[in-house]
Amino acid sequence: MALFLRVPANTFQQDNVALLSGGRRQNSTALLSGGRRRSSAVFGRRRSAIRILSMSTPPIQHLEKPSAGSQNLGLPIMVNGCTGKMGKAVIQAAVSAGLHLVPVSFSCAEESGQTVEVCGKEIKLHGPSGRENILASVVDEYPNLIVVDFTVPDAVNDNAELYCKVGVPFVMGTTGGDRERLYKTVKDSNVYAVISPQMGKQVVAFLAAMEIMAEQFPGAFSGYSLQVMESHQASKLDTSGTAKAVISCFQKLGVPFKLDQIQQIRDPKQQVEMVGVPEEYLNGHAFHMYHLTSPDQTVSFEFQHNVCGRSIYAEGTIDATIFLAKKIQSGAEQRIYNMIDVLREGNMR
């Protein structure tokens, strides 16, 4: 994770189709080149430009294993969506952290009945049929079970209703779905849960800082215009939940912006040539850019946070799982948590 503040001495200029740099050399069609040479079309010439914040998270190759006496050893975890890239990353992180992976997972109907091997662990896949009875039997065998959900947006609400009906605590990392209905389901059931569309701890810390700024300085950017670009792997079907959260903060700061104005990049060719995504991470990345411009176009602010790989999310998910287990064990009155609650706990690995 790299975090910096750069105030250029000279005016910076933009290319008329620029996006993000991702830290690599861009051609003449790049949108926001990350501080390199630019032309002066879309955003226009700036007399004063303040570039704030560029966060890039390279993949973490090795997760530190806890000591043999760690209290996390043996905590049972069931990962639904285990055949997906995010599910596999969570399983790897769970095994590295010493958690006990339950050899059962819910998947689509086409994969039902299959046994797959993930990170050296065999897992039996079950489709939509009979899920309630299957989950109840798993809970009977593993009373301290926590479910981790990284499935698909369309399954968010049905899955949450299943977990709540059976009474099993869960960590929901899947984005999308009807979020208001999701929270109501969990609240009515009194089940413990961590729900967050963003599991990356450092990105969540950035979001928390944005929330503080929005609360303490409402209207600070009144009159400013905003452009937002987000690039994710082509398999991501919905708009970035992180982008939505940041936009909400900017709206509180006085910036008018509608979610349908977000520029989504899903085409691999554009991601490499315009955004600057390394080719090896086309199937797993999250690049975001937010560009603010003053009414007279003499001042601009630019925020970036770029992630390659999935390790940052997998580690955060395991921290959330361990956090939730501790809350359950202590009989905490609060039942619904997010990743900011996990950060505030202050004892992440």
Side-chain angles (χ1 to χ4, degrees):
M1 172 75 66
L3 178 64
F4 62 83
L5 168 66
R6 179 184 300 163
V7 183
N10 298 321
T11 305
F12 72 82
Q13 299 171 322
Q14 315 276 358
D15 185 87
N16 62 342
V17 286
L19 280 175
L20 275 177
S21 72
R24 291 196 170 185
R25 183 175 179 268
Q26 303 295 307
N27 62 21
S28 60
T29 60
L31 188 84
L32 287 171
S33 68
R36 290 181 170 81
R37 182 176 177 272
R38 303 168 178 174
S39 65
S40 58
V42 170
F43 300 118
R45 180 175 293 275
R46 319 294 188 213
R47 293 180 183 173
S48 172
I50 303 177
R51 179 174 177 75
I52 304 179
L53 206 43
S54 177
M55 300 198 305
S56 295
T57 305
I60 300 169
Q61 299 299 324
H62 300 286
L63 301 178
E64 183 180 352
K65 293 185 179 181
S67 63
S70 171
Q71 61 179 334
N72 302 326
L73 292 174
L75 174 63
I77 180 175
M78 176 181 178
V79 180
N80 288 332
C82 73
T83 58
K85 293 182 175 65
M86 192 62 229
K88 291 177 181 177
V90 170
I91 288 175
Q92 181 178 1
V95 172
S96 296
L99 276 62
H100 178 76
L101 181 66
V102 172
V104 178
S105 178
F106 292 145
S107 188
C108 60
E110 292 75 16
E111 295 180 335
S112 182
Q114 297 181 21
T115 298
V116 297
E117 183 175 313
V118 182
C119 298
K121 305 290 184 179
E122 289 191 351
I123 303 174
K124 179 69 176 291
L125 304 181
H126 295 273
S129 178
R131 294 194 311 165
E132 183 178 339
N133 290 335
I134 293 168
L135 183 57
S137 66
V138 173
V139 173
D140 286 341
E141 186 174 353
Y142 302 95
N144 298 321
L145 179 72
I146 293 179
V147 172
V148 170
D149 189 294
F150 275 101
T151 53
V152 294
D154 289 344
V156 165
N157 294 107
D158 288 344
N159 286 353
E161 288 170 2
L162 170 65
Y163 307 148
C164 291
K165 185 174 183 179
V166 176
V168 60
F170 65 95
V171 174
M172 176 66 75
T174 311
T175 59
D178 185 332
R179 306 307 277 192
E180 184 176 345
R181 175 183 158 197
L182 168 62
Y183 282 99
K184 185 179 186 305
T185 298
V186 181
K187 183 179 179 180
D188 291 347
S189 70
N190 213 30
V191 163
Y192 284 96
V194 174
I195 302 173
S196 178
Q198 172 57 258
M199 287 291 176
K201 296 171 288 188
Q202 292 80 6
V203 178
V204 171
F206 166 63
L207 291 175
M210 288 293 299
E211 286 283 359
I212 292 170
M213 181 168 65
E215 291 173 4
Q216 295 191 4
F217 308 107
F221 285 90
S222 293
Y224 275 68
S225 60
L226 175 65
Q227 288 183 298
V228 178
M229 187 283 299
E230 59 99 338
S231 172
H232 289 75
Q233 59 276 3
S235 60
K236 182 171 175 59
L237 304 177
D238 57 328
T239 303
S240 166
T242 305
K244 292 178 181 178
V246 174
I247 288 167
S248 175
C249 293
F250 281 129
Q251 289 171 336
K252 295 174 185 176
L253 287 164
V255 181
F257 192 87
K258 295 181 180 179
L259 294 180
D260 60 10
Q261 294 176 270
I262 298 173
Q263 184 178 8
Q264 292 184 347
I265 306 298
R266 296 293 185 270
D267 179 68
K269 188 172 186 294
Q270 288 184 323
Q271 290 172 339
V272 172
E273 297 179 357
M274 297 165 58
V275 183
V277 178
E279 290 189 19
E280 61 267 34
Y281 293 111
L282 285 174
N283 290 326
H285 71 277
F287 279 36
H288 299 75
M289 180 279 293
Y290 316 90
H291 191 93
L292 290 158
T293 307
S294 65
D296 62 0
Q297 299 195 354
T298 62
V299 180
S300 68
F301 292 80
E302 183 178 294
F303 298 79
Q304 291 185 36
H305 51 93
N306 303 334
V307 175
C308 291
R310 295 177 174 83
S311 295
I312 184 175
Y313 311 120
E315 281 196 276
T317 300
I318 298 307
D319 282 331
T321 303
I322 295 170
F323 163 89
L324 193 61
K326 291 178 179 178
K327 291 299 179 184
I328 296 168
Q329 186 177 17
S330 68
E333 183 177 348
Q334 182 178 341
R335 297 302 175 104
I336 304 176
Y337 300 91
N338 56 34
M339 283 301 289
I340 292 179
D341 296 312
V342 178
L343 281 169
R344 284 174 176 155
E345 196 76 0
N347 59 351
M348 296 177 296
R349 296 171 300 117

